[in-house]
Amino acid sequence: MNVLGIIASGLAALFITVALAKGVRRTALRSGAGRAPDGRPSRAGVVRRLGGATVVLGVGAAAAAGTALGAADGSGRAVTGLLTGAGTVAVLGLVHDVRPLGVPVRMAVQTAAATLAVCLAGLSPVAGVLAVVGIVAVTQAFALLDTSDGALAAVGVVTAAGLLACAAVDGRAGLALLPAVLLAGLIGFLLHNWHPARIRPGASASLFTGFVLASSGALIHVAAPPERAAWAALPVLATVALADTALVLISRRRASRPLLQDCGDHIGHRLRRIRVTVPGTAVLVGLWAGVAVVIGTLVYADVLHPALALVPPAVSAPAVLALLRIPAYVAPPRPAARRPATGTTAPTAPPAPARSAATSPAGTSPAAAAPARTTAGRPTVPPPPTGRPAVGVTADRS
């Protein structure tokens, strides 16, 4: 295992990401903040949303350089395919940040990228289909975690560390290269994404992070020795992302809301509603992911029994049920009844005394003799004798 090459690639990813993120942060600060006067997102908001491209460039450049220098050993083809697929979904996210795309287009591109990575990895047809489904699902789950400053980066750092440990147990440098550079790149990005964040991952970095983690897990699973309980250990590493996805799907289904429309009902949103701070939210989800990653890694290393891999999902299920009890949807306010403005609307005049047919003027019916009324049934106020429109005139004016 080329340990020095992996360490050098990780350090390169760290420094590249920090340098690029610092430049993007300065650009965002110089561009102003908030929204433009006409209500459109300001230039600073666009720049912050595109800050995730620094992770893509830093990790991609370091991984490509490490592969070219032989840090991937005999897994260069698989790493190249994984990087190609990850770059594809990163470009998809970049376009989506600038101009939102439809769900069918995004799913089609993610499926094609996962298929490319799986084909270049040389998986069998059955394993390839399962790997594509798992990669797309986990990629989308991690993309949904970008709801609070530092949350996605914290979970990504912990998950990448777990995958790196699993690959190191088997001594596979090629499969450890990408988790190592992603771990370093996310640490560098987290320095600028911690609350108050000046840059955000956006769809570009969130999709890229999820794709690299999911693809690396699939390749480690396929290359694992038969005695490893990879089938039970590796899915546990994505516990937090999958729990967040389950939370929003169940919540929107119960509330009869669109399943694919963001409604502010993720883990981060609900924790904020119970007064958890933004840094506290990132720490809590990071610890949640850390417990699952530690258990999954120990199960993969045969330190713990495979049955213990059920502990993180079993503990996460009550947590999801508890989060469902936190209100996430605010009912729209009811329209208030319109009240007449003081001094502008005439009070209701007393009803006119009823006239019999005998006292009515000749040729005038009782209905015609009644005072004119509005559509609401209230008597009208005649204009003043000057012929000018009545402004603030009341009916009981003396």
Side-chain angles (χ1 to χ4, degrees), residues 136-162:
V136 173
V138 175
T139 299
Q140 196 60 40
F142 270 91
L144 297 177
L145 286 176
D146 183 22
T147 57
S148 182
D149 293 347
L152 173 67
V155 176
V157 165
V158 174
T159 308

Side-chain angles (χ1 to χ4, degrees), residues 48-215:
R48 285 196 300 267
R49 196 165 58 248
L50 301 181
T54 60
V55 178
V56 178
L57 295 176
V59 173
T67 303
L69 295 176
D73 291 344
S75 303
R77 189 169 181 267
V79 173
T80 302
L82 198 157
L83 275 178
T84 304
T88 302
V89 298
V91 173
L92 169 70
L94 190 64
V95 174
H96 181 68
D97 283 330
V98 177
R99 184 176 182 180
L101 302 174
V103 176
V105 175
R106 286 180 285 162
M107 296 302 294
V109 174
Q110 293 178 36
T111 303
T115 304
L116 175 63
V118 167
C119 291
L120 292 180
L123 302 182
S124 63
V126 176
V129 171
L130 295 177
V132 168
V133 174
I135 290 172
V136 173
V138 175
T139 299
Q140 196 60 40
F142 270 91
L144 297 177
L145 286 176
D146 183 22
T147 57
S148 182
D149 293 347
L152 173 67
V155 176
V157 165
V158 174
T159 308
L163 290 174
L164 176 61
C166 292
V169 168
D170 296 330
R172 298 183 178 274
L175 302 182
L177 176 62
L178 279 176
V181 295
L182 181 63
L183 170 65
L186 289 177
I187 291 175
F189 180 77
L190 189 59
L191 298 177
H192 300 278
N193 185 237
W194 194 255
H195 183 74
R198 297 299 182 183
I199 57 176
R200 292 178 50 195
S204 178
S206 59
L207 289 174
F208 178 83
T209 300
F211 189 91
V212 171
L213 293 174
S215 301

Side-chain angles (χ1 to χ4, degrees), residues 22-49:
K22 188 174 183 180
V24 172
R25 177 179 178 177
R26 288 181 176 177
T27 304
L29 291 176
R30 293 173 182 173
S31 302
R35 286 183 170 268
D38 56 357
R40 295 177 301 177
S42 66
R43 182 185 175 189
V46 175
V47 172
R48 285 196 300 267
R49 196 165 58 248

Side-chain angles (χ1 to χ4, degrees), residues 266-314:
H266 295 266
I267 294 176
H269 298 135
R270 296 175 189 267
L271 291 178
R272 294 289 293 126
R273 287 187 177 273
I274 58 175
R275 308 297 183 180
V276 179
T277 62
V278 176
T281 299
V283 171
L284 284 179
V285 295
L287 292 176
W288 187 354
V291 173
V293 166
V294 169
I295 294 177
T297 304
L298 293 178
V299 170
Y300 184 88
D302 294 334
V303 177
L304 298 179
H305 193 273
L308 293 178
L310 298 175
V311 172

